[in-house]
Amino acid sequence: MALRIKRIYEPKEDKDGTRILVDRLWPRGLKKQEAAVDVWLKDIAPSPALRRWFGHDPAKWSEFQRRYREELKKNSSAIEELERRIGHSDATLLYAAKDQAHNHAIVLQRFISEN
């Protein structure tokens, strides 16, 4: 099983496996058909308050990771749903953020891999 992450705006590839959107909001300017999303798990995304606080500011990255991991620990039903959707097959966590080095999908991928 491989668990990848990629921007939803990148083209679909065979190696993606199950494509899981992990954003709370639908990505701007993208039609649902074009996105080729298999599953949309809104509840696993950071809370609106945490997302607003972070604002994709790299200076807040370490603290954002800590806070988001705390949210994930308290959100067992969403984690269980994600793990069920991934199963034992390849999957790709899709996100819309422009910053490919500082986004919640990175934290989520690590969290799932560690547990």
Side-chain angles (χ1 to χ4, degrees):
M1 172 196 98
L3 181 60
R4 299 176 181 85
I5 61 171
K6 75 190 274 189
R7 287 194 77 218
I8 194 164
Y9 300 103
E10 295 176 34
K12 179 182 177 180
E13 299 173 289
D14 290 338
K15 69 180 181 179
D16 288 349
T18 303
R19 292 171 51 90
I20 305 168
L21 178 60
V22 294
D23 282 355
R24 194 167 298 275
L25 305 173
W26 187 261
R28 289 182 184 200
L30 191 62
K31 295 179 182 173
K32 292 189 179 186
Q33 271 187 316
E34 295 169 355
V37 170
D38 296 310
V39 181
W40 183 12
L41 298 179
K42 300 174 192 178
D43 293 338
I44 206 156
S47 66
L50 180 57
R51 185 174 51 84
R52 282 190 299 273
W53 172 83
F54 177 46
H56 297 284
D57 180 354
K60 296 179 179 178
W61 177 237
S62 292
E63 181 63 15
F64 170 78
Q65 291 180 82
R66 188 191 70 72
R67 291 183 186 190
Y68 183 41
R69 290 177 71 85
E70 286 301 313
E71 287 187 357
L72 291 171
K73 288 176 188 174
K74 295 174 184 174
N75 197 356
S76 60
S77 61
I79 294 296
E80 289 168 5
E81 175 69 8
L82 176 60
E83 290 173 339
R84 188 178 70 73
R85 296 294 186 146
I86 293 170
H88 297 287
S89 59
D90 292 343
T92 300
L93 303 178
L94 303 169
Y95 66 94
K98 291 179 184 176
D99 188 338
Q100 295 183 31
H102 305 98
N103 65 72
H104 71 285
I106 295 169
V107 181
L108 182 56
Q109 179 190 37
R110 288 181 189 150
F111 185 87
I112 295 297
S113 297
E114 293 167 1
N115 294 320

